[in-house]
């Protein structure tokens, strides 16, 4: 299995006014997050607006994050495509740049069969010598992987982890009971992190950790110490910030919060628009309450 553990924040993609990656801001954000105790970095997730970026922008983001991390923490970018070939191309490129693993996501335009979804992840795993964390999210895939499929793909030596977005604790317990010896399980949502860690999960891939890194790391550390009441209190406090995601777009919220913290991350990528003043205040109020 992998050496991935702890709190691995999803990074935003800072853009300058001309559309180029703001490399200085991205590098500073990476350095600050590492200094605050995160144990990995994931560019090109939903928080990073991967679906809106060009191939050139994606490549440059990976290059900047790998350089900024400098081997101090693993870089585990998202790899997502509607086609197997597209995902393999991304994975091979990012491997050459120097990433330490990937989070595999299936984007689906047409609904796919269970076997087709299974083949997507296995073909990626066959094509690149990297540890892969599979991200199951029916919002992207139009279906959810069955527990049988998860346990089948876990047999592949390169598939080392699962980030399951179902938030169904019974499903997670079944996965842990059946294939925890082959697959590390990671929390995918801020309201279930403590439960996943209590059940034996390895960590938490977290968008909020991009703006609340110290609080997220303290939650993880409290769980590792067995301080479950303290961890539950921290989770409740962090959840208040997440609640605004239900009202506004994820990347827009994170960028507004980071702007408030002094990072010139720019606007969300068009056709998305920045939050208006009222929405931005809602986000920053929730951020301060969770801090």
């Amino acid at each position: 299995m992998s050496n991935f553990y702890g709190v691995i924040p999803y990074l935003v993609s800072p853009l300058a006014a001309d559309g180029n990656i703001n490399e200085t801001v991205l590098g500073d954000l990476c350095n600050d997050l590492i200094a605050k105790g995160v144990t990995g970095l994931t560019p090109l997730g939903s928080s990073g607006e991967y679906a809106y970026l060009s191939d050139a922008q994606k490549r440059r983001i990976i290059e900047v994050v790998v350089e900024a991390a400098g081997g101090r923490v693993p870089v585990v970018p998202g790899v997502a495509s509607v086609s197997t070939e597209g995902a393999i191309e991304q994975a091979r490129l990012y491997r050459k740049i120097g990433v330490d693993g990937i989070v595999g996501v299936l984007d689906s335009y047409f609904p796919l069969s269970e076997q087709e979804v299974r083949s997507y992840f296995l073909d990626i795993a066959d094509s690149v010598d990297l540890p892969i964390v599979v991200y199951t999210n029916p919002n992207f895939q139009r279906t959810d992987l069955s527990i049988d499929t998860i346990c089948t793909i876990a047999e592949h030596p390169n598939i080392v982890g699962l980030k399951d977005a179902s938030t169904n604790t019974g499903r997670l317990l079944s996965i842990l009971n059946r294939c925890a010896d082959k697959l590390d399980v990671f929390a995918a949502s801020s309201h279930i992190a403590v439960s996943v860690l209590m059940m034996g999960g390895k960590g938490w891939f977290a968008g909020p950790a991009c703006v609340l890194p110290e609080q997220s790391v303290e939650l993880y550390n409290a769980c590792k110490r067995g301080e479950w009441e303290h961890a539950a209190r921290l989770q409740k406090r962090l959840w208040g910030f997440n609640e605004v995601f239900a009202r506004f777009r994820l990347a827009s919220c994170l960028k507004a919060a980071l702007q408030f913290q002094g990072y010139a991350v720019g606007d969300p990528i068009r056709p998305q628009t920045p939050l208006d003043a009222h929405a931005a205040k809602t986000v920053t109020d929730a951020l301060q309450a969770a801090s």
Side-chain angles (χ1 to χ4, degrees), residues 46-70:
S46 302
S47 302
E49 303 172 278
Y50 76 89
Y52 299 85
L53 295 165
S54 69
D55 289 344
Q57 288 173 319
K58 291 177 184 177
R59 175 175 185 147
R60 189 59 191 141
I61 285 169
I62 299 296
E63 290 170 343
V64 171
V65 175
V66 167
E67 181 179 354

Side-chain angles (χ1 to χ4, degrees), residues 30-38 211 213-215 217-218 261 263:
C30 293
N31 281 314
D32 291 347
L33 290 170
I34 293 170
K36 291 173 181 175
V38 306
V211 296
E214 293 159 310
Q215 296 83 352
V217 170
E218 174 56 22
Q261 291 177 333
Y263 296 96

Side-chain angles (χ1 to χ4, degrees), residues 134-196:
V134 171
Y135 182 16
T136 65
N137 190 325
N139 290 328
F140 301 137
Q141 295 157 195
R142 297 198 180 197
T143 185
D144 215 348
L145 273 69
S146 70
I147 296 171
D148 285 341
T149 285
I150 289 168
C151 292
T152 296
I153 65 177
E155 297 289 336
H156 197 291
N158 287 343
I159 294 180
V160 300
L162 175 74
K163 179 187 170 205
D164 186 271
S166 70
T167 72
N168 181 333
T169 52
R171 171 181 163 91
L172 289 169
L173 280 169
S174 294
I175 293 166
L176 285 162
N177 282 339
R178 289 182 56 181
C179 51
D181 60 331
K182 299 181 179 69
L183 200 69
D184 292 330
V185 174
F186 297 87
S189 177
S190 297
H191 73 284
I192 202 171
V194 172
S195 298
V196 172

Side-chain angles (χ1 to χ4, degrees), residues 220-255:
Y220 172 77
N221 288 338
C223 290
K224 297 305 290 183
R225 295 191 299 264
E227 298 173 0
W228 300 111
E229 290 186 10
H230 178 49
R233 287 193 297 271
L234 289 168
Q235 181 172 270
K236 289 177 182 178
R237 198 169 78 203
L238 286 169
W239 182 244
F241 180 70
N242 280 261
E243 285 182 310
V244 301
F245 293 169
R247 299 175 58 186
F248 313 115
R249 285 183 297 267
L250 173 61
S252 299
C253 287
L254 290 178
K255 283 191 166 180

Side-chain angles (χ1 to χ4, degrees), residues 51-105:
Y52 299 85
L53 295 165
S54 69
D55 289 344
Q57 288 173 319
K58 291 177 184 177
R59 175 175 185 147
R60 189 59 191 141
I61 285 169
I62 299 296
E63 290 170 343
V64 171
V65 175
V66 167
E67 181 179 354
R72 292 175 291 171
V73 299
V75 176
V76 194
V79 164
S81 180
V82 294
S83 74
T84 302
E85 286 73 20
I88 289 172
E89 183 179 356
Q90 290 175 40
R92 287 175 172 168
L93 172 62
Y94 301 163
R95 173 69 177 86
K96 288 180 181 178
I97 295 171
V99 304
D100 302 283
I102 60 172
V103 178
V105 179

